[in-house]
Amino acid sequence: MSPAPVFPEGFLWGAATAAHQIEGSPLADGAGPSIWTRFAHTPGMMLNGDTGDVACDHYHRWKDDVKLMRELGLKAYRFSVSWSRILPEGTGRVNQAGLDFYSNLVDELLANGIEPLLTLYHWDLPAALDDRGGWLNPDIADWFAEYARVLYRALDGRVKKWVTLNEPWVVTDGGYLHGALAPGHRSKFEAPIASHNLMRAHGAAVKAYREIGQHEIGLVVNIEPKYPASDSAQDAAAVRRAHAYMNEQYLHPALLGHYPPELKEIFGEAWPEWPAEDYDLIQQKLDFVGINYYTRSVTKAAESYPLNTGVVRQPLGTYTETGWEVFPQGLTDLLLWFKQTYGDLPVYITENGAAFFDPPTADVDETGQRRVRDPLRIDYLRKHLGAIHDAIQAGVDIRGYMLWSFLDNLEWSLGYSKRFGMVHVNYGTQERTPKDSARWYSQVIQSHGRKL
Ligand code: LGS
């Protein structure tokens, strides 16, 4: 029998959500619309016509939700703030009721011994700012810093871990290059501009934090290792492009002060020369990096826009309900690559989890409790925590793990069709039922990872 895993002292065990995916009532108490409210109400954009209008009704049930987090033993909770609740027009007038909602949530978390990790931007840009060009307008770096300052002033101290952006890659790839996510643009010319402005906004928000904040701030990226489909030179080149595009496009400028050269190769004339001073703004000292990990890709050269790469499905692989391969070893590989490339920066795993074909909650156990038996999710989580443990043993400074997600929720344009929660949500009654994975995770937390 192998020895029980040992996670570092203080390792933070938690779960994550995002505002638009769980809150509902997006226009309540003076909030302005976001691009996601708008997108979800545009016919044809959302699977089954789902919207975030109600979602998990967390906007009204936050107290009970925090109670459930405590019952499950969570030590940390990662959530995001909806910019247009705080600044309905994106800049200028502050909506106190919006601020109060998050201030109360933070107080409730602290009163229950749960550390808040606050993400400033998890994709719900105020629609008023989209009307002014959104991420294409260079002024957005100032708009974002203005919004961030309001929150730093209100919450820093109570919140000690801040995240500027969640997954800038998805914001541009989904929102500006392929159009599957809000604001739904498809332009090879817009994508690099949106990317660059996201990074400038990140830099501006970190800079503002150093003037006001006393604690820690970082960036969250989604990265996935790319493995070649064959040993051909073409596939090796495809891996290089895919890796630069997804894994280095944001980390390189944030941590090394330049973009990987492959971006010019991928975007050609659509990739501009940026002013040198932009890199000084973008490359701010960070206290940690958050990594969201779900899968890997086995990559080949193929005709595709604009990367000319393709993903090869593994005939013997295990796939989740979203069609992503389960590949825990990839997380260890990725964490080792991160350390080797960017040095000894503290890392949090800020998202990891899976949607599976969970059974309904009809099942009642011997104690009369309703059960959702989700052994595939437990297997996924156990293996990924094992992969994290391997990376810790190999010297990567990993400080915590936020399971995606605390609740089943709105999976963006896939609507409510995919359930990532450790807690099942009945969208008809809003009833919450902890799945077996939640009970299991509770034990893991209680044993500080020794009982994986
Ligand atoms: O709900 C989102 C989760 C679910 O899966 C969350 O809001 C995001 O931050 C995050 O992007 N999430 C997520 N990402 C998995 C992306 C895997 C893409 C794999 C594509 C393979 C072909």
Side-chain angles (χ1 to χ4, degrees), residues 21 122-123 166-167 294-295 324 351 404 411-412 420:
Q21 295 180 271
H122 202 127
W123 309 356
N166 178 69
E167 302 188 345
Y294 288 88
T295 189
W324 306 332
E351 284 181 32
W404 184 271
E411 183 47 31
W412 305 108
F420 280 84

Side-chain angles (χ1 to χ4, degrees), residues 163-176:
V163 168
T164 54
L165 307 174
N166 178 69
E167 302 188 345
W169 183 85
V170 176
V171 177
T172 33
D173 187 81
Y176 290 88

Side-chain angles (χ1 to χ4, degrees), residues 96-270:
Q96 189 58 41
L99 208 47
D100 289 347
F101 171 72
Y102 295 106
S103 176
N104 292 336
L105 173 65
V106 166
D107 282 347
E108 192 71 12
L109 289 166
L110 295 174
N112 283 281
I114 300 167
E115 164 141 32
L117 272 76
L118 188 156
T119 304
L120 290 165
Y121 187 72
H122 202 127
W123 309 356
D124 43 0
L125 187 75
L129 294 183
D130 195 45
D131 293 340
R132 294 160 74 185
W135 290 108
L136 301 174
N137 187 331
D139 291 346
I140 199 160
D142 294 333
W143 303 338
F144 187 58
E146 176 187 337
Y147 157 62
R149 273 191 207 99
V150 173
L151 288 168
Y152 300 154
R153 289 205 179 95
L155 299 177
D156 192 58
R158 285 187 283 157
V159 172
K160 296 195 171 73
K161 291 186 172 47
W162 297 81
V163 168
T164 54
L165 307 174
N166 178 69
E167 302 188 345
W169 183 85
V170 176
V171 177
T172 33
D173 187 81
Y176 290 88
L177 187 65
H178 291 114
L181 302 174
H185 298 193
R186 287 163 201 246
S187 163
K188 179 174 161 176
F189 291 89
E190 287 186 0
I193 297 170
S195 276
H196 190 66
N197 285 330
L198 277 154
M199 292 322 286
R200 290 178 54 255
H202 157 78
V206 176
K207 216 170 147 193
Y209 189 72
R210 300 301 176 208
E211 289 154 20
I212 300 171
Q214 306 289 321
H215 302 280
E216 296 177 10
I217 190 158
L219 171 70
V220 165
V221 289
N222 59 303
I223 49 182
E224 61 181 49
K226 310 286 177 185
Y227 303 91
S230 77
D231 54 15
S232 74
Q234 288 84 345
D235 286 354
V239 164
R240 202 171 40 72
R241 287 193 301 277
H243 175 66
Y245 177 62
M246 190 160 182
N247 301 332
E248 298 177 339
Q249 182 170 191
Y250 303 92
L251 288 177
H252 262 38
L255 300 174
L256 305 178
H258 62 85
Y259 287 104
E262 288 82 1
L263 293 178
K264 181 90 203 152
E265 187 188 323
I266 294 165
F267 285 98
E269 54 168 348

